[in-house]
Amino acid sequence: MSYPIKKYFEEMTTLEGLLMTQKEAECLHVMLMVKENRITVTQAAIQLGICLRQAFRIWKRFKIEDKKGIISKRKGCTPSNIIPTNLKLQICNLLHTKYKDFGPTLASEKLQENEAIHISRESLRKIMIAENLWSSKRKNPLKIYQRRSRRSRFGELIQIDGSYEWWFEERGDKCCFLVFVDDATSKIVEMRFCKHETTQDYLVSLKRYIKRSGKPLCLYSDKHSIFRVNRENAAKGERITQFGRILKDLDIEIICANSPQAKGRVERKNGVLQDRLIKEMRLKGISSMEEGNIFLEEYREQHNKKFGKEPLIKEDAHRSIAQDDLEKVMTIQENRKLSKNLTFQYNNTIYQIQTDKPSYVMRYAGVTIINDGSNDIQVDYKGKSLVYKKWQDLPDQGRIVDSKALNWMNRKTYKPGKYHPWR
């Protein structure tokens, strides 16, 4: 086209103080060409990329109003969906005080639930950006991982993990959070606060889960020493952990993931809980593991209702087990050898076997110590329980502490900022 578009684009002022856009300047250029009979309205529609009917409407308005007919009638009008100033001030006040570190999605939900303020996530996100309370997340380099389909039935595969975090912020001590997530439905089937990630704590959580739902087919975990023997050069022993032995007796398979991404469902669930659960407990004033464990059941139902999915097959894969059998199996069992005086050592304590038979009968005999998590232990010899008494407490020695627990025991009470790089 020989007609100068730039001429109109540089002069796109006037017209009652309204600014003409480049697209409107191009439309004006084409309509002037139609006015000068250089092209037809049909050709104008093709050049502007609009339908013929719309081109005739613009041409009709241009003939009546001249340049003013090209500019959109919506310019200068107040949008119908604009947020009132007083409501925006109220939202900003709540964001700076009560919901200071909430994300746009969670803040939008809480404003609706607790404050009866209905605002979309995107509108709230724009307000938070303007108030310097939110910034777009930095995109990490794309990594490709092989996708895996969900299991088809509820209870077919349960992903388990422990997460150390400041769950109660400055109101309580740091602790570990154990969570069991079903692979088929993404529902949380068990969750519990505990001091550290130990075998006994996992057994307590597993027992509660089995009592509620039944035995799953398989557990999916990381390579923690609770779940597998990591010393490849260990020549002695059964090369199976206490937790692994209990799962074997329960006929539950265990799989250890090779990377965090392999059990991504429970890893992502931990990320969601570290955001939402912490803030929920802050709003309710929960500041201890005891209070938190009471609240978790209520929260679990709400969370599953919001984020749970339906399984591909409705059939439940859980299997039933008798209560007595469960209590008998879910115990930690360790082997000890009696001395010539029929004593043995367990947990820095020396115990003495009480028997009416001649002492030489059980000298250097092997016994099994059964611990169900309580303070009392059971001493089993050839299927029979032996009577014993505590003889002497030994001096405390260095504890064997897992590296995860050690890092958190010695960690200073420093919490990284919201925009710290590792977040």
Side-chain angles (χ1 to χ4, degrees), residues 48 100 115 123 184 215 229 246 281 291 331 375 409:
L48 294 174
K100 186 173 183 179
E115 317 296 338
S123 298
K215 296 190 302 179
V229 177
I246 292 171
M281 293 191 295
E291 296 175 353
T331 56
N375 294 327
M409 287 167 60

Side-chain angles (χ1 to χ4, degrees), residues 105-310:
T105 303
L106 184 59
S108 175
E109 293 176 6
K110 292 305 169 185
L111 285 174
Q112 182 174 345
E113 292 176 11
N114 302 336
E115 317 296 338
I117 297 176
H118 298 268
I119 183 172
S120 68
R121 178 186 62 186
E122 280 303 305
S123 298
L124 189 61
R125 185 179 69 86
K126 293 176 182 177
I127 294 176
M128 294 175 71
I129 291 175
E131 295 292 322
N132 293 323
L133 294 174
W134 185 257
S135 63
S136 58
K137 295 182 179 179
R138 183 176 59 186
K139 291 186 177 180
N140 296 323
L142 181 63
K143 295 182 180 179
I144 306 299
Y145 296 97
Q146 184 178 0
R147 293 184 62 84
R148 177 182 62 83
S149 301
R150 291 177 180 268
R151 295 297 176 96
S152 56
R153 296 180 295 168
F154 177 56
E156 193 171 335
L157 179 68
I158 305 298
Q159 299 188 17
I160 62 177
D161 193 27
S163 173
Y164 286 91
E165 185 56 82
W166 295 91
W167 292 100
F168 307 104
E169 299 173 305
E170 70 282 352
R171 304 185 307 279
D173 297 331
K174 52 196 172 188
C175 63
C176 180
F177 180 71
L178 304 182
V179 59
F180 292 25
V181 178
D182 179 63
D183 186 76
T185 61
S186 291
K187 291 183 178 180
I188 300 174
V189 294
E190 180 59 37
M191 53 203 310
R192 179 173 174 268
F193 290 112
C194 56
K195 190 65 177 176
H196 297 298
E197 194 175 5
T198 64
T199 300
Q200 192 62 54
D201 288 308
Y202 269 107
L203 290 180
V204 172
S205 299
L206 180 62
K207 185 187 293 186
R208 287 176 41 179
Y209 163 49
I210 292 178
K211 285 181 178 180
R212 183 190 304 115
S213 303
K215 296 190 302 179
L217 294 181
C218 181
L219 295 183
Y220 200 20
S221 69
D222 54 21
K223 292 182 179 179
H224 197 287
S225 57
I226 293 174
F227 312 114
R228 70 192 295 268
V229 177
N230 292 318
R231 293 176 298 164
E232 298 297 336
N233 58 350
K236 298 182 179 180
E238 300 179 358
R239 293 195 57 77
I240 187 172
T241 65
Q242 292 286 342
F243 194 81
R245 176 191 56 79
I246 292 171
L247 292 184
K248 184 178 180 181
D249 293 341
L250 291 172
D251 191 25
I252 300 175
E253 182 185 2
I254 184 167
I255 302 174
C256 294
N258 197 42
S259 66
Q261 290 78 14
K263 55 184 183 69
R265 221 169 302 284
V266 70
E267 295 288 349
R268 288 191 295 273
K269 189 69 69 175
N270 273 330
V272 172
L273 293 173
Q274 287 170 4
D275 177 37
R276 288 175 170 262
L277 179 57
I278 289 176
K279 295 176 175 63
E280 288 281 0
M281 293 191 295
R282 181 200 304 165
L283 294 176
K284 293 185 177 295
I286 297 173
S287 57
S288 66
M289 291 193 297
E290 293 75 16
E291 296 175 353
N293 285 328
I294 295 174
F295 169 68
L296 285 181
E297 186 60 30
E298 173 190 345
Y299 179 80
R300 186 176 68 87
E301 295 179 359
Q302 297 175 358
H303 186 93
N304 290 342
K305 185 176 180 181
K306 186 175 186 64
F307 296 103
K309 300 181 180 298
E310 291 297 322

Side-chain angles (χ1 to χ4, degrees), residues 319-332:
R319 299 158 294 168
S320 61
I321 181 174
Q323 181 68 25
D324 294 340
D325 295 339
L326 181 62
E327 296 293 340
K328 184 178 179 180
V329 172
M330 303 269 307
T331 56
I332 295 178

